[in-house]
Amino acid sequence: MIARVPRASDAAAAGAGNLAAWPGQPFPLGATWDGIGTNFSVYSEVAEGVELGLFDAYGRETRLAMSEQTAFIHHIYVPGVGPGDEYGFRVRGPWAPAAGKRNNRSKLLLDPYGKAVRGAVRWGPSVYPYRFGDETRASTSDSARAMPKSVVANPYFDWGVDRRPSTPLHETVIYETHVKGLTQRHPSVPPNLRGTYAGLATPDVIEYLLGLGVTAVELLPVHQFVHDHRLVRDGLRNYWGYNSICYLAPHNEYSASGDRGSQVQEFKQMVRALHDAGIEVILDVVYNHTAEGNHLGPMLSFKGIDNEAYYRLADDPRYYVDYTGTGNTLNMRHPHVLQLMMDSLRYWVIDMHVDGFRFDLAATLARTLHDVDRLSAFFDVIQQDPIISQVKLIAEPWDVGEGGYQVGNFPPLWSEWNGRYRDTVRDYWRGRDQTIGELAQRLTGSSDLYEATGRRPSASINFITAHDGLTLRDLVSYEQKHNEANGEENRDGTDDNRSWNCGVEGDTDDADILECRKRQQRNFLATLMLSQGVPMLLAGDEIGRTQRGNNNAYCQDNEASWFDWEQADENLLAFTCELTSLRREHAVFRRRRWFQGRAIHGSEVSDIAWFRPDGTPMADDDWNAAFAKTLGVFLNGEALPDLDSRGRPVHSASFYMVFNAHAEPLRITLPEAAWGRRWRLRLDTARDRLYADNSDAPAFKAGDWIEALDRSLLLLRRLDGAS
């Protein structure tokens, strides 16, 4: 008979003397359960001593000295501690803020490598390391009761036959969404699962995603994050989650099964269900800063473990370098910080089976000293990593620091949120003057930004709207931000919306304005899905979701952000589904290689051609006319240089697109017969549905004219030639 090994909760209740402790191992970092006990390890070069705090069900703490140290890694093994047990660290060391040292033994600290977290921060003086009124003096109040706790997680999970969809980038359609926002009000999601990973994995939600035609969900941050003190004080919450504190832990509030480690299993079940449907999971990750803020911020983890190692300190080390606008910047120059980030990424790929990452404010990660260096250590280690280099890597290529706008400057393997695409397409459809050549570059994958670095059109993540800004419906309904509900007197959020309200700010009953807004939404969606590159759709845009003009709804964890499924625009949804289907069916809209502007593979005409409204090819002077609002584009499906996965030539129909951003209808003449003798209309954004292929839609011959209504996009399919 095998004797029962005491659990931590038993020992904590009976007294620390009953709890055995062994030296343990330095690796892996964090808390590792082996079926008998748990090994704990944490890095700190500045620490003079580290204690492990174990908590029972009543919140009583047992402290164990982590007396073993290997290369500044403090470690201990405790038999009987296992999944569900709560813990934290206390670090004894120098309190010298003027020198950048901020150790305070009275503060309980979350494990930087913790796999799960229980509870939330209870804001009050105890979670701050200094005495209120004198930031130079250390606080002596114990923070344990106000702190969330790290939780030992069970690493075992039956993945069954889970296989990554591994969708090629050029075939990818990204759906940027929020775990809670998508499911909180979904009528088919059981009430107890709404707002959770399990809710996102329900059959009706997955069926919706499949019908919409998306191949990947890009989830707003799911690393454990903190609701800021100011927001909680004002009755708000950090809805977006860009306030990370634990980079290996799924956020506990999105768990329907509790926060004693079961959130890890629930997240894995969600990934497995999405993979079964062929949908990839991409995580929006925030490795540029943490929730601990500036020198006046709380002490939750890194700040009390080794402040100088984890954070970029200013010339005066009392203060932090802030490239993010959040108070601090993680120190990517330090090897242990790099190790944490890489270990986190590998964990989410290997253990959690995610398919890629979108890096928030990625320019911050590339900074060395005060510059942005695209060959910095962070990108070098990713490039050589055999795990991370094989998944989808997407950069938000800017930050708030000087020289932080780095669109087009990331290295091979990386795709980027293309801010130039967003701005150009918004300006075009609202009628602002710009050269037609700028629009042409964005429609064809932005070779001016990405080709020189050896990348392909899939380097461009095209988007019109994202979580950060107006929704699509609001983009055509508001010209000014309306962020009063955020409690910052409408000062927050950008003023550069590049939006047009079609004549009236906000809600209206005017039928003409409402029709204009619907057409503009269709124009944006059609442009997005017919452009070369990878389209990213902001979740809810397909059903006309509104935030009432709030372009910075980061703190609106309420009906302002949650999807209102009962008010869904079913016509817009059907239109969007038809667009994604059209893109999926015709490879000419998702080319793997750049256009050459010449005949290829024996085709009689070039792979792409540009035309004026009179049907004649564009001349050099036409490209520089800022007042031009109309453009015709021929896409040759017979001149694709691509091969499929089995090495066979890829074929596609050929199409002619007409863009008309004029405020008046225009007669558009189709090109001469060399480009196509017969054409059939497939799309007119003046209608709320696409014409079915091979239907009785209007047909035209070479040289015919077709009317493009004001602010509309037309797409015609060539009837002669390859299909």
Side-chain angles (χ1 to χ4, degrees):
M1 180 177 178
I2 299 177
R4 175 182 176 274
V5 178
R7 294 185 60 78
S9 56
D10 301 330
N18 293 337
L19 194 59
W22 304 341
Q25 301 294 327
F27 296 106
L29 288 158
T32 306
W33 179 60
D34 61 8
I36 298 175
T38 300
N39 189 83
F40 297 89
S41 67
V42 61
Y43 161 81
S44 176
E45 187 169 345
V46 71
E48 297 168 358
V50 178
E51 291 177 305
L52 170 69
L54 295 167
F55 293 84
D56 68 9
Y58 302 99
R60 293 175 296 193
E61 181 182 7
T62 297
R63 300 185 190 182
L64 299 174
M66 301 175 69
S67 56
E68 295 293 330
Q69 183 185 143
T70 305
F72 301 116
I73 296 175
H74 306 257
H75 47 90
I76 191 173
Y77 181 94
V78 188
V81 172
D85 284 332
E86 302 172 37
Y87 71 98
F89 297 121
R90 295 179 183 272
V91 176
R92 177 170 51 85
W95 170 260
K101 304 179 190 301
R102 295 179 177 271
N103 300 112
N104 188 328
R105 185 182 180 184
S106 65
K107 307 306 171 185
L108 186 75
L109 306 174
L110 289 168
D111 180 1
Y113 277 78
K115 306 294 197 309
V117 173
R118 183 165 190 259
V121 176
R122 295 169 56 189
W123 291 106
S126 71
V127 298
Y128 291 86
Y130 55 87
R131 296 188 182 185
F132 280 19
D134 186 355
E135 62 183 89
T136 65
R137 298 182 64 190
S139 164
T140 57
S141 58
D142 195 302
S143 67
R145 290 188 177 276
M147 280 289 294
K149 311 298 189 294
S150 296
V151 178
V152 179
N154 185 347
Y156 303 108
F157 180 77
D158 183 7
W159 283 101
V161 293
D162 180 66
R163 298 183 65 182
R164 301 182 188 280
S166 299
T167 307
L169 259 176
H170 68 283
E171 296 179 3
T172 296
V173 176
I174 297 174
Y175 191 65
E176 191 203 23
T177 192
H178 189 285
V179 170
K180 186 174 184 179
L182 179 66
T183 62
Q184 183 68 20
R185 303 175 72 184
H186 197 293
S188 298
V189 175
N192 63 314
L193 300 184
R194 292 177 182 173
T196 69
Y197 306 119
L200 184 53
T202 54
D204 283 353
V205 173
I206 291 178
E207 190 65 28
Y208 175 82
L209 296 173
L210 290 174
L212 186 56
V214 300
T215 68
V217 291
E218 182 176 301
L219 303 179
L220 266 69
V222 297
H223 289 163
Q224 185 70 39
F225 61 85
V226 173
H227 297 287
D228 316 53
H229 188 188
R230 196 274 297 179
L231 296 180
V232 174
R233 183 195 65 206
D234 294 346
L236 300 170
R237 288 160 58 83
N238 193 318
Y239 174 68
W240 286 352
Y242 289 93
N243 209 26
S244 300
I245 194 62
C246 291
Y247 292 109
L248 284 81
H251 189 63
N252 54 24
E253 291 179 299
Y254 300 154
S255 172
S257 54
D259 61 359
R260 288 188 174 273
S262 54
Q263 60 262 51
V264 178
Q265 310 297 315
E266 186 174 325
F267 185 93
K268 291 177 178 179
Q269 289 165 353
M270 177 196 71
V271 173
R272 185 176 62 188
L274 289 165
H275 282 182
D276 285 346
I279 299 173
E280 294 184 308
V281 178
I282 298 171
L283 301 187
D284 192 335
V285 291
V286 190
Y287 293 122
N288 50 73
H289 74 278
T290 79
E292 293 188 297
N294 62 15
H295 63 289
L296 297 178
M299 178 172 284
L300 308 175
S301 181
F302 310 97
K303 187 179 289 186
I305 292 175
D306 197 327
N307 187 60
E308 291 176 287
Y310 280 108
Y311 292 112
R312 293 283 301 274
L313 302 183
D315 292 339
D316 180 347
R318 173 186 165 194
Y319 302 105
Y320 297 89
V321 171
D322 183 10
Y323 289 126
T324 65
T326 60
N328 65 59
T329 301
L330 276 172
N331 183 14
M332 286 298 153
R333 298 176 297 179
H334 194 283
H336 275 279
V337 181
L338 272 177
Q339 180 186 3
L340 170 61
M341 301 302 102
M342 295 304 296
D343 286 348
S344 168
L345 291 168
R346 277 190 292 266
Y347 173 76
W348 287 98
V349 174
I350 296 173
D351 288 67
M352 308 295 263
H353 285 209
V354 305
D355 304 283
F357 305 95
R358 177 266 188 190
F359 293 80
D360 176 65
L361 301 180
T364 298
L365 303 177
R367 287 185 181 272
T368 57
L369 299 178
H370 298 288
D371 298 320
V372 177
D373 173 13
R374 74 179 185 91
L375 297 178
S376 71
F378 182 81
F379 299 108
D380 284 346
V381 295
I382 286 181
Q383 178 80 26
Q384 59 80 40
D385 189 274
I387 303 299
I388 308 307
S389 63
Q390 303 304 304
V391 301
K392 290 179 170 66
L393 301 171
I394 302 170
E396 182 187 30
W398 49 75
D399 64 18
V400 300
E402 182 178 354
Y405 192 78
Q406 292 293 312
V407 173
N409 290 335
F410 280 69
L413 293 183
W414 286 79
S415 296
E416 303 176 21
W417 272 24
N418 191 343
R420 292 273 295 275
Y421 178 94
R422 172 201 59 204
D423 295 346
T424 299
V425 174
R426 286 188 180 191
D427 281 346
Y428 175 75
W429 283 117
R430 68 181 177 138
R432 286 299 178 93
D433 287 347
Q434 62 179 334
T435 64
I436 209 72
E438 176 73 10
L439 177 65
Q441 285 282 13
R442 304 308 144 230
L443 296 176
T444 56
S446 298
S447 60
D448 58 329
L449 299 178
Y450 305 116
E451 187 175 19
T453 55
R455 291 184 281 177
R456 294 183 174 181
S458 56
S460 179
I461 305 297
N462 299 330
F463 66 105
I464 308 296
T465 55
H467 70 276
D468 188 3
L470 297 172
T471 68
L472 183 61
R473 177 175 164 182
D474 290 355
L475 186 70
V476 302
S477 304
Y478 297 89
E479 291 188 9
Q480 307 297 327
K481 65 186 181 184
H482 297 270
N483 299 353
E484 291 81 6
N486 295 353
E488 300 178 50
E489 299 180 344
N490 207 34
R491 294 188 303 268
D492 61 304
T494 182
D495 293 314
D496 184 21
N497 293 300
R498 301 177 187 244
S499 58
W500 177 52
N501 62 21
C502 296
V504 172
E505 187 76 355
D507 292 339
T508 181
D509 295 327
D510 189 299
D512 290 337
I513 291 177
L514 291 174
E515 174 53 35
C516 174
R517 290 176 177 178
K518 289 181 180 295
R519 186 180 303 177
Q520 285 288 78
Q521 290 177 76
R522 294 192 291 267
N523 286 334
F524 282 120
L525 289 169
T527 303
L528 178 65
M529 291 301 167
L530 299 179
S531 296
Q532 304 298 320
V534 179
M536 185 186 79
L537 178 67
L538 172 62
D541 278 355
E542 76 280 4
I543 60 172
R545 187 175 74 86
T546 178
Q547 293 174 176
R548 305 296 179 190
N550 193 324
N551 75 353
N552 189 35
Y554 75 101
C555 57
Q556 298 300 316
D557 189 0
N558 50 47
E559 288 82 358
S561 296
W562 305 338
F563 290 27
D564 186 352
W565 292 99
E566 292 184 358
Q567 299 299 319
D569 185 334
E570 297 293 343
N571 288 331
L572 188 61
L573 174 59
F575 182 82
T576 309
C577 294
E578 291 170 346
L579 281 173
T580 59
S581 178
L582 178 71
R583 180 182 180 88
R584 183 170 59 251
E585 292 169 4
H586 298 289
V588 74
F589 299 121
R590 43 183 176 80
R591 289 169 53 103
R592 295 178 60 193
R593 292 175 172 80
W594 302 107
F595 287 107
Q596 300 297 311
R598 56 182 174 82
I600 297 176
H601 295 327
S603 176
E604 296 179 0
V605 294
S606 59
D607 56 356
I608 189 170
W610 307 88
F611 296 88
R612 296 185 299 196
D614 63 3
T616 60
M618 295 272 287
D620 289 346
D621 291 343
D622 296 325
W623 292 109
N624 297 318
F627 59 84
K629 299 293 186 295
T630 308
L631 179 67
V633 187
F634 170 76
L635 301 178
N636 190 345
E638 298 179 9
L640 296 177
D642 303 332
L643 301 176
D644 67 14
S645 60
R646 297 186 179 183
R648 298 168 299 196
V650 174
H651 299 289
S652 174
S654 298
F655 290 87
Y656 191 73
M657 290 192 290
V658 176
F659 295 83
N660 178 30
H662 279 285
E664 301 294 335
L666 286 180
R667 282 190 172 187
I668 305 296
T669 301
L670 296 176
E672 63 183 16
W675 303 96
R677 295 186 298 276
R678 296 184 300 121
W679 300 90
R680 189 179 300 280
L681 191 61
R682 282 288 271 123
L683 165 65
D684 181 351
T685 56
R687 301 176 76 249
D688 61 9
R689 298 296 295 268
L690 275 66
Y691 291 99
D693 210 1
N694 300 319
S695 69
D696 56 356
F700 304 88
K701 300 188 301 294
D704 284 353
W705 64 266
I706 181 173
E707 185 178 48
L709 294 183
D710 52 293
R711 300 186 181 89
S712 67
L713 187 157
L714 306 177
L715 178 71
L716 298 96
R717 175 176 175 172
R718 192 170 76 176
L719 297 180
D720 54 293
S723 62

